Structures are given as structure tokens and as C-alpha cells.
Amino acid sequence: MRTPVVAREARVRAPHPLRTEGVRGFAPWAGAAVLLTDGAMLSGTADRWQGGWSETAVQTHTALLLTVPLAAAAGCWQGGRERRRRTEELWTTTARTPLARLLLAALPVAFWAVAGYLVTTAVALLATWPCARGDRPHLALLPGDAAAVAASALAGHVVGRAVPTRLAAPLLAMTGYVGLGVLAADGPAAGRALSPAALAGVGELPVWWQPWAMAVWTGGLACAAVLAYAARRRAVALLPLAAALAAGTPLAQSGYGLWHPDPLTRRQVCDTSRTPAVCVNARYGGMLPQISDALSGVTDKLAGVRNLPVRWADHGGAPRADEAALPAVTPLGWSAVRGRLTDPEQYAWEAAGALVLRGDCPDEQLSGRVLTADDAVRHYLAPSPVRDRLDGPEPHDAWLRETRAARAGLAGMDEHERRAWLSAYFAARTACRTKGIPAL
């Protein structure tokens, strides 16, 4: 005996309305909008972050300046859907409570907005993976960032239901963007600490509890707004509000203390096979071989020269007495892009300049003879076709003749004589005994 068709169809469970809203409604388009917006912003600045884990984390976190207002606007638009369709009265006849109806429409948008942000972040991390030359992925901010995106979508949904105008969504997006931007740029310390898009610094880490406190702060405010609007007993909104205040208080009190320098920035990785040694910051320690190669021409010419610094160093502060400052490869996008030096010749020229200008001598000691000697040494160690060009207007002919003669004099010495001259030069220049610089 065959089972009636009606009976067979009754056994098939209808899809949950939440699934229908999440797959067929406006929510996937909201996620796509977040994905495209964040992706466009990150791709346009790839040279500045695709080579450092800290830079990537800062850039994806900074994307919240766009993501949070966009998610709020998407939630707001979804919140006004029933008003635009003129089905508000029809919805009130269903068996679901107002809170259930609100969450049924709001949660898919929040989910897809967070998904769009997380996918963008994952793509950025994957793009950085082959280019990073040190450090490790920075994921500490993700919990607070994801919670802020979801909270903004939920809070925006409440605004969309409460404000009876189609302009609510774009106005909310503009207000959120301007507000977050002002807090990030010029806001007080407490205000910046409470902003989910507070700008993080490269080479800085949040204290361990900051992302979780931020998640409770933003999530608590959003939940309080939802419950105050749609719950049968609106007094229950006081519970998430109290949690938000409990999390926001230490955030506001800590201010700038929420961030601390990454201990890795104080470490260095060195190549001691050369003199001076080459020490790079551990955040990009993988670049040591190419930096060392770029400076090989300088160190080869300094073989046997005395009174040199012990090393080129990059530890985030002023070089010590026995060090010269290593030219910085950060901010990314200038000297280094995607883990590679953009111009090794220019880098070597800057490193030679750091050797020459080690002594912090007063201006009155920097006579024309001293500056001419500085130029000759830098040109000998790392000639640059662009930086060392000797051409100019007529009034500078005398200076040009002296500079050309000094360069030719240093280059024309034999090896023993040049080593002795350079040893005397570095001893006098470092100690600011400029009168002791031998003539060329």
C-alpha cells in the first residue's frame, strides 16, 4: 500500500526561518558588501602591510572604521524592512514574540557582516604569510573586532525599527564613520579606549583582557538596546547594560595603558661575520641576509679600518655609543615592500651616512672641510648615482671643485694609506674632534 503524498510531504521538516533569512534574504548581500569594502581598502594599501604581521593586524583592525558603520547601516536597513513592505501588522499576528521576530531578522545580518570581516582578515593573513620575514600572526584583536561588528549590526537593526525613515541607514553610517574617525584621531584617551576602532600602533600589543572587555562592552550595549526595545520585561536590559559598564570602566580608566610594546621589537638578529656587524630588528629578522648583502660593499671597503662602531643596530631607540643606526625598513612601503628591499643601493648609501654622521657635533664644528670629508667618505663607501651627483648653478663651482677633488683624493690612495686615513677620520668624527680630521 502506498503512502499518501500528503503524508510523505508532512514528514519533510520545513527549513527553519532563521536559515531562510540567512540564505535568501538581504543578509548575504550585507556580508558581500563588507567583504568588498574591506577588501578594496586592504588591496589599495597592500604595500604598507603585506610583509609584516603587526602591520597586517593593524590594517585589518583599522578596517573597522568602515566595517562598523557599514554593518550598522545594513542592520538598520534590515530593521526597516517590514515598514517598507507594510507588513508590520501582519507580523504581529504570528505566534512569535517581538524579541524572537527581531532576532530572526537581525541575527543573519550580524552573522554575515562578521563573516565578511573575518574572511577579509583571513585573506590578508594568507597574503602576508609568504612575505613576512619574522614575527608571528597577531590575532589577539579578532575577538573584540568580530564582536564589535556583530554588535553594530544588532544596534543598527534596533535603530531601523525605531526610526521611521529610509534615510536612517545612510545617516547612521555617516554618523558612525565620522564619530569613529574623530575618536581615533583626536579623541581623549578614555574615548579612544572605548572605541572599537581605536587605532593600534605597529609593534604594539593589547593587554590580554582588552579584546574580551571590548567584546563585552560593545556586545552588552547592543544586547541592552535589543532587550529594551523588544523584550516583554524591559527591565532585563539592565543585565547586559551592567555587564557593558563593568567592562567599559576598566577600558576607560586604562586609556593608553591598554597597549604595550611587543617584546620582539627589543630583540635583534645579527650577522657578526662583518665589521661592523649588521643587526636587524627581530620583527623582520628574515631580511637579515639581504640587508647584509646590501651592506657587503660597505663592509668590504672598511676591512682593516679602526675606530668603527661595533654594529649597525635597530632596536627601536637611539643607537648606543658603540653603534650606528641601521636604516629602517619600516614603515613598510618605502624601503621594503613584501619582505624585499626596494633599493639595496639606496639602503647602503643611507647606512654609510649613518657611519659618517655618528658624532652629534655642534654646527659650529661642521666647517666646509668637514662636510667635504663626510661627502668623500660616504661616496667612497656607497656611491649613489642619484644622491651623489655633482651639478649645480654657477655660484657653487668652488664647492663642486673641492668636493670632486676630495672624492678623487680618497679614491686615489693606496689601500694602506686609505685605511690609515679612514681610521683617523672615524676617530676624530665620532669624538667630534673635527680639527683632527686629516686633509684630503
Side-chain angles (χ1 to χ4, degrees), residues 16-39:
H16 194 281
L18 194 61
R19 180 180 180 276
T20 304
E21 286 278 0
V23 174
R24 299 181 182 177
F26 167 75
W29 294 103
V34 171
L35 180 65
L36 292 176
T37 302
D38 289 353

Side-chain angles (χ1 to χ4, degrees), residues 93-260:
T93 63
T94 63
R96 295 189 181 92
T97 64
L99 180 60
R101 294 197 301 269
L102 185 149
L103 293 178
L104 184 65
L107 288 179
V109 175
F111 169 81
W112 278 105
V114 172
Y117 174 74
L118 292 180
V119 169
T120 307
T121 301
V123 171
L125 292 172
L126 290 175
T128 297
W129 197 286
C131 303
R133 295 294 180 263
D135 206 351
R136 64 199 182 282
H138 290 232
L139 305 177
L141 290 171
L142 277 183
D145 292 350
V149 174
S152 62
L154 291 176
H157 191 94
V158 174
V159 174
R161 285 181 172 245
V163 180
T165 174
R166 290 173 179 264
L167 296 177
L171 288 176
L172 182 61
M174 288 188 291
T175 303
Y177 177 74
V178 172
L180 291 175
V182 169
L183 280 178
D186 301 315
R192 291 187 62 185
L194 292 174
S195 170
L199 299 185
V202 173
E204 293 183 340
L205 297 174
V207 294
W208 68 268
W209 54 267
Q210 189 269 352
W212 308 105
M214 182 61 66
V216 176
W217 162 247
T218 56
L221 291 178
C223 290
V226 168
L227 293 175
Y229 180 82
R232 287 182 177 177
R233 298 181 178 179
R234 296 183 178 181
V236 297
L238 295 176
L239 295 177
L241 181 60
L245 294 177
T249 299
L251 287 173
Q253 291 176 344
S254 298
Y256 297 112
L258 292 172
W259 306 91
H260 62 89

Side-chain angles (χ1 to χ4, degrees), residues 344-371:
E345 188 178 75
Q346 170 70 14
Y347 192 85
W349 185 84
E350 293 176 3
L355 290 178
V356 169
L357 303 177
R358 283 182 64 222
D360 187 15
C361 305
D363 292 342
E364 57 267 19
Q365 294 190 25
L366 301 180
S367 63
R369 186 178 68 86
V370 174
L371 297 178

Side-chain angles (χ1 to χ4, degrees), residues 345-346 349 378-379 382-389:
E345 188 178 75
Q346 170 70 14
W349 185 84
R378 174 182 272 186
H379 178 74
S384 171
V386 176
R387 298 284 185 175
D388 291 344
R389 292 178 60 183

Side-chain angles (χ1 to χ4, degrees), residues 222-384:
C223 290
V226 168
L227 293 175
Y229 180 82
R232 287 182 177 177
R233 298 181 178 179
R234 296 183 178 181
V236 297
L238 295 176
L239 295 177
L241 181 60
L245 294 177
T249 299
L251 287 173
Q253 291 176 344
S254 298
Y256 297 112
L258 292 172
W259 306 91
H260 62 89
D262 187 346
L264 197 64
T265 60
R266 302 190 185 99
R267 289 178 48 202
Q268 295 186 93
V269 181
C270 299
D271 177 5
T272 57
S273 64
R274 304 180 182 278
T275 302
V278 181
C279 296
V280 304
N281 196 282
R283 280 209 312 116
Y284 46 90
M287 293 185 66
L288 178 60
Q290 57 178 303
I291 290 177
S292 187
D293 288 343
L295 300 184
S296 60
V298 178
T299 54
D300 290 345
K301 292 177 181 178
L302 291 174
V305 176
R306 304 183 307 278
N307 305 314
L308 294 171
V310 175
R311 66 186 70 85
W312 278 288
D314 181 11
H315 43 64
R320 303 184 182 96
D322 59 346
E323 297 175 342
L326 186 74
V329 299
T330 54
L332 299 182
W334 296 91
S335 296
V337 174
R338 296 179 178 88
R340 304 294 302 176
L341 288 177
T342 56
D343 190 347
E345 188 178 75
Q346 170 70 14
Y347 192 85
W349 185 84
E350 293 176 3
L355 290 178
V356 169
L357 303 177
R358 283 182 64 222
D360 187 15
C361 305
D363 292 342
E364 57 267 19
Q365 294 190 25
L366 301 180
S367 63
R369 186 178 68 86
V370 174
L371 297 178
T372 300
D374 291 346
D375 174 82
V377 173
R378 174 182 272 186
H379 178 74
Y380 168 72
L381 294 177
S384 171

